Structures are given as structure tokens and as C-alpha cells.
Amino acid sequence: MRRTVVEASIVLVISLATGLVANSRRASGLPLDTDPRHLVMGTDVELVGIAEARRAYDEGAVMVDARANAVFARGHIDGAVPLSPENLDADYREWWEFIPTEGPVIVYASSAEGPIAAARARWLIQMGHKGAVVLFDGYEAWEAADLPTAAGEE
Amino acid sequence: MTGVVIGRRRASGLSRVLRNPHVGLLLRCLVGGVFVYASLDKIQHPDAFAQVVLGYRMLPTLLVVPFSVLLPYLELVAGGFLILGVLRRGSAAVITALLTVFLVAITQAIARDIDIACGCFKASAGGERLAWETLVRDIALIAAAVAVIRTPRTALELARRSRYP
């Protein structure tokens, strides 16, 4: 038994050493401090969890819905501004004054559409809304946490 | 009484088969081969595998990438050693421990109704989905790995210690 534990420890050390060296030398290697959520999002835009988003919402942060119009109409975060993929320019022209350039802006989509929300946040940052971040968990988590929602087009 | 005797006979019969050095070699190659094969795609695509690991929602976010980067090398080295017969018991013990961790991860994901890719053989999210069959395969591999640990010797071990019984 003791010999098995010693052998297992040797295997463990050899594997970890091999992994660390190979990862640092390979082109496809990943820095170990990479935030895996950024890999999911496909961008390094800042991400917030549901608790942080709720706190910011209570303090007046603007929520931006990056989902399609029809999905938005079925249910969205109460007070959210729609920036739908199909009418992005028109929506932005209609709502841009409500989106602060300095203050917090939280962009969300469905939980499966994280990269869409991240792309929209990056677009908003390019348009000058520097405080744009992404709700990583998506609308479903907001709904599941029983936080304020509304239905309808606006 | 008769049932107990038959049970013992059956157990000793199975035990004899498992102690056969050639059966040991077969189990070593089977388990080791599965692990080496499972490691290759993950080593090629650590970023995709990290996303699969994140999907299990088991590890703190900070640990997801270190785990995703190092686990495939653990699979590769332990599996390779097992096939070659180097540190046979230690490699099989590491593999048993990994399979037990996988068992817990898969069970909790199925119990929480999380629909994600298994990440077993393909690093991408488009790979095999988690299912009860994944659990059955995991348990079968645990049984084979434990048999490799318990058997006194197996055939064609590259580095067998003479002090082993």
C-alpha cells in the first residue's frame, strides 16, 4: 500500500512537471491565470456574476438586453434597454441617451449566448460607453434568482 | 450453504482469471490506452477543454484553467506508464483516483440536470454529451484499474521491482 502511494506520488510529480513545461513551451499553451469565462466569451471584456449585477442594478446601473426582439418581448430585466442583433443601429439611435458613457452598463443575453453579450459590450465600449460589462450567467440566472423582470416590447 | 460455497468458487474463479499475468497485461493496455487516447485532444485544445471543465460548475473559477491544462498530462503519463508497465501500481492508483473524481463530477452534473459535453475524449463542447452510459463506462474502468493494482504481477512489465510478491 505504502509503495503504491509512493509510486502514485512519483507519477503525479512527473505528470505535473511535464504539463507545466509543455504548456509553457507550446504555442497553444494557456497562461494558468487565464479566466476561463473569457474563453467562453471569446473576449476579455469584464464579467460580473448575478450578485454583483443585482447590486449594480439596485444602484441604478443600466441593463442592456442583447437578445432578439421577440425574445426580449417575452421577458427581460425590468427597465432594460434593448439592443437587438436585428436592429442594432436603429435600437442604438433610439436608446443611446439612456446608456451612460461613464457609469455602469450591464449587458446580458441568454446563458447560451454569452459571446453575443460580450460582443455587444465590446461594441458599446467602442461607441464610448466605457463602463460596459457582461452578466456572465445570462438572463436565465436573473430570472431564476427571482429578480425584477418585465414583458413587452419596452 | 450451497450458495455460499458456489459464490466462493465463482469469486475464486474470477480472482484466478484476474491474477493471470496476461489478463493483467490486457487490462493495463485497455485502461492505459483509453487514458492516452483521452488525453490527446485535450492537450491539443486546452482552451476548449477549459470551457468544458467550467461547464461542470464544480471547481472555483481560478482553478479551472490549471486543472484543464495539467489533467491531460496526468492522463497521458499515467496511461503511458500503465501500458509500458512502469510504476504499474502507482499509475493504476492515479487513474483510479481520476476516475473516482470523474464519477463524482459526472454524477453531480447529471443530478443537477446540467446538459454539457462530457469532455471525456474530445475537448470541444460539441463532443459526447453526459449520460448514464458515461457513468457505467467510468465504473467499468475503475474495476479494471483496481484489478491492475491488486494483481501481483502482469506480463511484459518494463520496470518490475523484484521485491514485489
Side-chain angles (χ1 to χ4, degrees):
Chain A
M1 176 66 184
R2 190 167 166 271
R3 187 181 302 284
T4 305
V5 172
V6 171
E7 281 189 11
S9 307
I10 296 170
V11 173
L12 207 61
V13 169
I14 293 173
S15 308
L16 298 186
T18 309
L20 289 173
V21 172
N23 184 60
S24 67
R25 298 203 170 182
R26 286 170 58 89
S28 62
L30 274 183
L32 296 183
D33 60 351
T34 305
D35 185 334
R37 298 175 307 171
H38 287 148
L39 299 173
V40 176
M41 293 292 175
T43 171
D44 60 355
V45 71
E46 193 181 330
L47 306 167
V48 295
I50 200 79
E52 202 178 334
R54 197 235 165 109
R55 206 164 34 245
Y57 177 81
D58 289 342
E59 289 167 4
V62 170
M63 310 302 279
V64 169
D65 192 311
R67 301 172 302 161
N69 274 330
V71 184
F72 179 88
R74 280 204 294 274
H76 53 262
I77 294 177
D78 194 15
V81 171
L83 284 186
S84 64
E86 61 266 47
N87 292 314
L88 181 57
D89 290 336
D91 282 347
Y92 184 69
R93 273 198 301 277
E94 187 175 349
W95 296 104
W96 71 271
E97 283 178 304
F98 295 91
I99 307 172
T101 49
E102 297 292 337
V105 177
I106 299 178
V107 185
Y108 69 91
S110 72
S111 58
E113 293 177 331
I116 292 176
R120 193 62 36 79
R122 182 145 296 292
W123 184 81
L124 279 171
I125 291 169
Q126 282 168 0
M127 298 299 279
H129 306 279
K130 298 184 193 109
V133 298
V134 171
L135 173 59
F136 179 73
D137 309 288
Y139 178 70
E140 290 82 351
W142 182 275
E143 207 177 20
D146 217 14
L147 295 170
T149 59
E153 293 198 348
E154 285 173 17
Chain B
M1 186 64 187
T2 317
V4 173
V5 172
I6 291 171
R8 275 186 195 153
R9 274 185 197 151
R10 273 186 191 150
S12 67
L14 179 65
S15 169
R16 246 198 327 272
V17 171
L18 290 176
R19 290 165 78 93
N20 181 313
H22 293 96
V23 172
L25 171 66
L26 190 73
L27 291 177
R28 258 175 45 210
C29 290
L30 176 78
V31 178
V34 166
F35 266 71
V36 169
Y37 174 67
S39 71
L40 299 179
D41 198 50
K42 296 173 202 161
I43 287 175
Q44 289 296 319
H45 306 106
D47 49 345
F49 184 53
Q51 293 178 49
V52 172
V53 172
L54 182 68
Y56 275 91
R57 297 175 216 169
M58 241 183 107
L59 283 176
T61 310
L62 266 178
L63 295 182
V64 168
V65 168
F67 178 83
S68 312
V69 165
L70 298 175
L71 173 75
Y73 289 95
L74 196 52
E75 292 180 335
L76 179 71
V77 172
F81 277 8
L82 202 59
I83 292 171
L84 296 172
V86 177
L87 301 174
R88 186 238 317 165
R89 284 186 163 124
S91 302
V94 166
I95 284 177
T96 306
L98 287 178
L99 286 165
T100 309
V101 171
F102 299 160
L103 191 70
V104 173
I106 295 165
T107 307
Q108 66 87 31
I110 291 176
R112 289 161 70 188
D113 211 16
I114 302 176
D115 179 25
I116 49 170
C118 159
C120 306
F121 298 105
K122 293 281 171 204
S124 69
E128 170 196 355
R129 312 304 290 179
L130 275 188
W132 290 109
E133 294 81 43
T134 323
L135 270 185
V136 173
R137 185 179 63 210
D138 196 276
I139 291 167
L141 284 169
I142 289 178
V146 168
V148 172
I149 298 174
R150 290 176 61 93
T151 194
R153 66 188 184 89
T154 62
L156 295 177
E157 282 184 41
L158 255 191
R160 182 186 300 151
R161 295 203 179 204
S162 56
R163 277 178 289 174
Y164 281 154

